[in-house]
Amino acid sequence: MLVLLNGTVAAEQAPDKKTTAIFTAELQSAIDGAQKMLLAKQPFPDEAAVGFFKNGFKLPKGYLEQTADKILEQRGKFAKVTDLTRTALAYSAAGGNLNNIAGIDLYPFLMNHAGIDTEGAAAVAAAYITSNNSYSISMERTNRYPDMLFNQLLDMQLADGSWPLAGQTQGDPAATAWVLTALAPQLGSEQTTKPVQEALVWLRSKQQQDGGFDGKTATTAQVMVALSSLGIDVADFATEGGSSLLDHLLSRKLPEGGFAQTAGGGGDIQASSQAYLALTSYKLLSKQAGLLYSGLHHAGQGQVAIHIEGPGSTLATGHVSGGDAVKAATAFLQEKGLAYKLNADSAKPSFTAIEGIQNGRYNGKGEWRLAVFNGSSWLYAHNSMGRLTIGDGDQLLVYYADHMELVDQMQIEWKLKDGQKMNGSPAAHTPFDLYIKKSDGQVGGLPAWGVTVTLQGKSKVADSAGKVSFAGMKPGVYPVQITKYRKDAAPGIVKRTVALHVSSPNLDTFADAKQVAGWARFDMAMALSSGYIQGVSANGNVLAPKQKLTRAEFLTLLLRLLHEFPDAKAVSGFQDVKPGKWYSGTVAKAVELGVVSRSSGKFEPDRGITREEAAVMIAKAARLSAYGSAERVKFADISGLLQASRQAIQAMNEHEVMTGSNGRFDPKQVLVREQAAAILVRVQKLMPELLY
């Protein structure tokens, strides 16, 4: 029970106690009627989306895309924090991931929004609710975090126990209700007990004899959501001799569906939306099915790189959807036609054999294990209390282990001409040292001594500090392979391939640097620094920013960005890509990855690549999807293109990779080198996993 300051008692839902709330057929009929009215409204009210999700009802067709349109149109920058939270919660309820709408993460926009300090307690409460339905992976610094919002709410409470509207000194029932709804997940904590008790006493004092608040259905409904979230039966919440909250709400229900805002009024969209949420919250209470504003976050499955490493070689690599790690790995093995066996533990399944390689292969030693690299460290299934899950940008490793260690990171050290030590991508033709670090399942960052490091056909063994040294190299992106195979035993370390970026000279050192367009200079400088772009002349000092790119050249740059390294001996299957050509392995790798299709039989490697073709390749290679409605992208010159091309162009536009100009995309225009540089840098920003 919840004991109020005036000595009265209010019911409080407890985990081991069944609630007294009873959700009747009459109440379900009221939900159905409101739903019918809301579905008939255009545009569909965002406030109601959460209720539809919690009731298991489908939102209107196209609603998710239309909501994405609002976010994309403003690039996440909403004038009011209340508009941002309403849109974010609606987008989540519709199944979207508010942390990734074509690369836009609403979390930093929310937590840095000035409106949190100016729009009042209700806005702060909505921001707190939204932040708790978010899982941001943004590297952008935020001025606030959820605990700060929680404390801010407590600090905003007035002496009488209420919370005011923005700029007001008197308490407001709607604002107080929003705050109580936000605090509900923390009910029973030392920090919330007294504030909640005081607020309930204040609400009781403001309730009218007819059971409502402020004479408005919307306000009454908001109070109902708050009380139901706190575990209080609104059918019993009433002044002495007066009607209850629930009775008051039902008195505003209209025969044709929906609710009136005031007594005797007609159907009102705000009143109907809030009443629908109130009844939904009460239904959740009666079924003890959680809170109205919890469990809304949809992280999205994303794409995860997967490696199956056997004791002697790599068995398979590719990509899987996020979710449960074992299920994802199992689906991948099935797709690749690789045989496997799982143990009988349904709570925490694990592989006991893959491709005939059984646990205990080496004199009873060794077993198949799973680990996930999240960009900074390894998470081990055998060290985890529960089951491992994977998300966008993670790397899933299935490996055969016998006290085996994993490559944790590769640090790079080199020197400037003046002897100053530098870290990061080495300059072209400059000697450098690689320090290989490992994780033993308990501690990371340990020196990986004794491992074999192979780069450009040269293999070296790391010393006691995990160090190997190499001579300078041409600009580019190179695979560094790290292994430690052992005879008649599992490897001492799991094989891993890490990308090494060797920087091209600075932009200003090229003879034709001034020919780079002003808009492209930053991107060109970044592409040079990352080793994606190099000079085209024999001595490398000519950049040729306006030179057209062939299909083979662009594909090479794209795979270089994605750290996908071709096998020169691989065969692509195209009639016009002969083995032994400089691009044959690249085209074969692109076919393997699904970036290009062999359906036409020809690749035309030496033909200039059009913007349309580049868009399709990028969308496939970087796995970029469209989020908003197709109608939002208003290029005058794409209507006659294939649907796949239009969707790819839409994805490029939404992610701001290829935006077009003057209402045109120019799909048949051939790309030049400075345009490609800008594309590479923009795609890199969308894929933070490429930084590791």
Side-chain angles (χ1 to χ4, degrees):
M1 291 192 298
L2 184 64
V3 181
L4 305 183
L5 294 185
N6 63 358
T8 60
V9 174
E12 177 189 352
Q13 185 180 6
D16 58 347
K17 179 182 177 181
K18 187 175 181 179
T19 179
T20 59
I22 300 175
F23 197 79
T24 64
E26 179 188 10
L27 297 179
Q28 184 60 52
S29 176
I31 279 186
D32 294 340
Q35 177 193 331
K36 182 178 180 181
M37 176 191 177
L38 294 170
L39 283 173
K41 290 296 179 181
Q42 293 293 332
F44 179 81
D46 291 336
E47 294 87 345
V50 171
F52 270 60
F53 170 66
K54 288 292 186 175
N55 280 301
F57 293 137
K58 289 185 178 180
L59 286 153
K61 184 178 180 180
Y63 177 75
L64 178 66
E65 292 76 15
Q66 292 164 11
T67 308
D69 286 346
K70 298 178 187 177
I71 299 168
L72 292 166
E73 200 65 37
Q74 302 176 81
R75 305 306 300 176
K77 299 177 182 178
F78 288 78
K80 292 185 176 181
V81 71
T82 48
D83 293 337
L84 193 162
T85 55
R86 181 177 63 252
T87 304
L89 290 173
Y91 189 68
S92 287
N97 176 6
L98 63 87
N99 298 125
N100 183 12
I101 309 98
I104 299 171
D105 185 351
L106 289 181
Y107 182 85
F109 285 108
L110 171 65
M111 303 308 274
N112 290 331
H113 203 296
I116 290 177
D117 294 325
T118 61
E119 293 180 40
V124 179
Y128 182 58
I129 289 171
T130 306
S131 70
N132 285 329
N133 282 286
S134 169
Y135 179 71
S136 178
I137 59 172
S138 172
M139 299 179 68
E140 184 176 344
R141 181 181 179 275
T142 58
N143 297 325
R144 303 172 183 85
Y145 49 88
D147 284 352
M148 290 179 65
L149 299 182
F150 175 79
N151 290 319
Q152 185 174 348
L153 287 173
L154 297 183
D155 291 341
M156 296 175 78
Q157 189 174 26
L158 300 178
D160 60 7
S162 66
W163 280 268
L165 293 172
Q168 301 295 315
T169 58
Q170 300 295 319
D172 177 77
T176 301
W178 257 112
V179 175
L180 288 176
T181 302
L183 296 179
Q186 308 297 330
L187 182 64
S189 70
E190 184 177 347
Q191 288 178 287
T192 60
T193 299
K194 183 178 178 182
V196 168
Q197 289 178 344
E198 292 175 341
L200 290 172
V201 171
W202 183 85
L203 281 174
R204 179 83 72 183
S205 71
K206 297 299 179 181
Q207 187 178 19
Q208 299 162 340
Q209 280 292 305
D210 63 3
F213 287 84
D214 288 349
K216 295 180 180 179
T217 299
T219 303
T220 302
Q222 288 169 334
V223 174
M224 281 184 60
V225 170
L227 297 183
S228 294
S229 300
L230 294 172
I232 298 173
D233 189 345
V234 295
D236 296 331
F237 197 90
T239 59
E240 186 175 350
S243 300
S244 72
L245 269 173
L246 184 58
D247 288 337
H248 177 81
L249 186 76
L250 294 177
S251 72
R252 299 284 173 86
K253 183 171 71 71
L254 301 174
E256 64 273 18
F259 288 76
Q261 184 71 279
T262 56
D268 182 88
I269 190 65
Q270 183 191 29
S272 297
S273 296
Q274 295 300 328
Y276 182 69
L277 293 175
L279 291 169
T280 301
S281 186
Y282 188 63
K283 182 178 181 180
L284 293 171
L285 172 63
S286 69
K287 297 180 179 297
Q288 294 186 290
L291 304 178
L292 181 66
Y293 290 106
S294 65
L296 301 179
H297 181 57
H298 296 277
Q301 291 188 327
Q303 288 290 320
V304 178
I306 183 172
H307 298 261
I308 311 293
E309 294 291 344
S313 64
T314 301
L315 299 181
T317 63
H319 287 86
V320 295
S321 297
D324 182 88
V326 173
K327 289 182 179 179
T330 300
F332 179 74
L333 291 170
Q334 292 173 348
E335 176 191 339
K336 294 295 182 180
L338 300 177
Y340 67 91
K341 293 181 181 179
L342 287 167
N343 64 10
D345 187 351
S346 60
K348 197 173 182 181
S350 61
F351 294 101
T352 59
I354 296 178
E355 279 297 275
I357 302 171
Q358 305 274 351
N359 284 356
R361 180 183 182 92
Y362 300 107
N363 297 318
K365 296 180 180 179
E367 63 181 2
W368 286 100
R369 290 182 175 178
L370 270 76
V372 175
F373 190 72
N374 60 12
S376 59
S377 61
W378 286 102
L379 305 175
Y380 295 82
H382 61 279
N383 287 345
S384 174
M385 294 295 292
R387 298 174 65 161
L388 280 185
T389 58
I390 48 178
D392 201 16
D394 287 344
Q395 298 177 38
L396 173 59
L397 177 64
V398 182
Y399 62 105
Y400 191 85
D402 175 15
H403 302 295
M404 190 183 298
E405 297 163 326
L406 306 184
V407 176
D408 202 10
Q409 55 186 294
M410 181 179 75
Q411 297 175 350
I412 308 167
E413 189 176 281
W414 54 285
K415 294 180 181 179
L416 295 173
K417 291 181 179 180
D418 62 4
Q420 180 181 354
K421 288 186 178 181
M422 302 292 292
N423 298 110
S425 302
H429 310 295
T430 304
F432 57 89
D433 300 324
L434 302 180
Y435 290 86
I436 311 302
K437 305 294 183 180
K438 66 182 180 180
S439 170
D440 64 1
Q442 302 295 328
V443 181
L446 301 171
W449 58 271
V451 300
T452 299
V453 181
T454 304
L455 173 62
Q456 288 296 90
K458 296 181 180 180
S459 296
K460 299 188 177 185
V461 177
D463 63 16
S464 59
K467 172 186 171 183
V468 290
S469 301
F470 288 93
M473 301 172 62
K474 294 179 180 180
V477 183
Y478 301 93
V480 178
Q481 189 180 89
I482 304 163
T483 57
K484 194 176 182 180
Y485 290 118
R486 300 182 297 184
K487 184 179 180 181
D488 298 327
I493 202 163
V494 177
K495 184 179 81 172
R496 187 175 182 192
T497 300
V498 184
L500 171 71
H501 294 246
V502 178
S503 298
S504 296
N506 292 333
L507 174 59
D508 293 338
T509 64
F510 288 89
D512 54 352
K514 292 184 179 179
Q515 294 181 19
V516 179
W519 64 266
R521 290 188 68 83
F522 174 79
D523 291 326
M524 181 61 83
M526 292 297 295
L528 289 168
S529 176
S530 297
Y532 302 142
I533 298 281
Q534 301 97 33
V536 298
S537 61
N539 60 6
N541 72 334
V542 175
L543 192 54
K546 310 297 183 186
Q547 180 175 301
K548 293 181 179 179
L549 280 171
T550 67
R551 286 166 54 82
E553 288 170 339
F554 180 74
L555 194 58
T556 299
L557 298 180
L558 188 56
L559 296 191
R560 193 177 288 164
L561 166 73
L562 298 176
H563 299 166
E564 295 289 352
F565 303 107
D567 178 356
K569 298 179 182 179
V571 178
S572 68
F574 286 108
Q575 301 171 13
D576 55 354
V577 179
K578 304 299 181 183
K581 290 287 188 179
W582 68 266
Y583 49 72
S584 58
T586 297
V587 178
K589 188 68 174 180
V591 171
E592 176 190 334
L593 296 172
V595 176
V596 297
S597 169
R598 287 192 297 235
S599 58
S600 67
K602 292 185 178 181
F603 179 69
E604 300 180 275
D606 299 317
R607 178 173 61 77
I609 186 164
T610 66
R611 286 170 54 82
E612 174 189 356
E613 293 168 334
V616 173
M617 285 187 186
I618 297 164
K620 291 180 178 179
R623 304 178 299 280
L624 301 181
S625 303
Y627 286 76
S629 57
E631 294 76 17
R632 180 181 170 273
V633 183
K634 297 181 174 63
F635 290 124
D637 54 357
I638 67 171
S639 59
L641 302 180
L642 295 174
Q643 183 180 9
S645 294
R646 296 198 305 272
Q647 289 177 338
I649 290 169
Q650 180 182 346
M652 293 305 100
N653 178 262
E654 290 179 354
H655 287 86
E656 295 191 320
V657 173
M658 302 172 72
T659 56
S661 61
N662 300 318
R664 298 179 62 83
F665 186 77
D666 296 320
K668 303 305 179 184
Q669 184 185 84
V670 176
L671 276 183
V672 298
R673 282 166 55 83
E674 66 182 6
Q675 291 172 330
I679 287 170
L680 296 175
V681 172
R682 292 168 187 172
V683 173
Q684 183 188 55
K685 292 178 181 177
L686 296 169
M687 304 178 71
E689 65 269 24
L690 297 179
L691 301 175
Y692 304 105

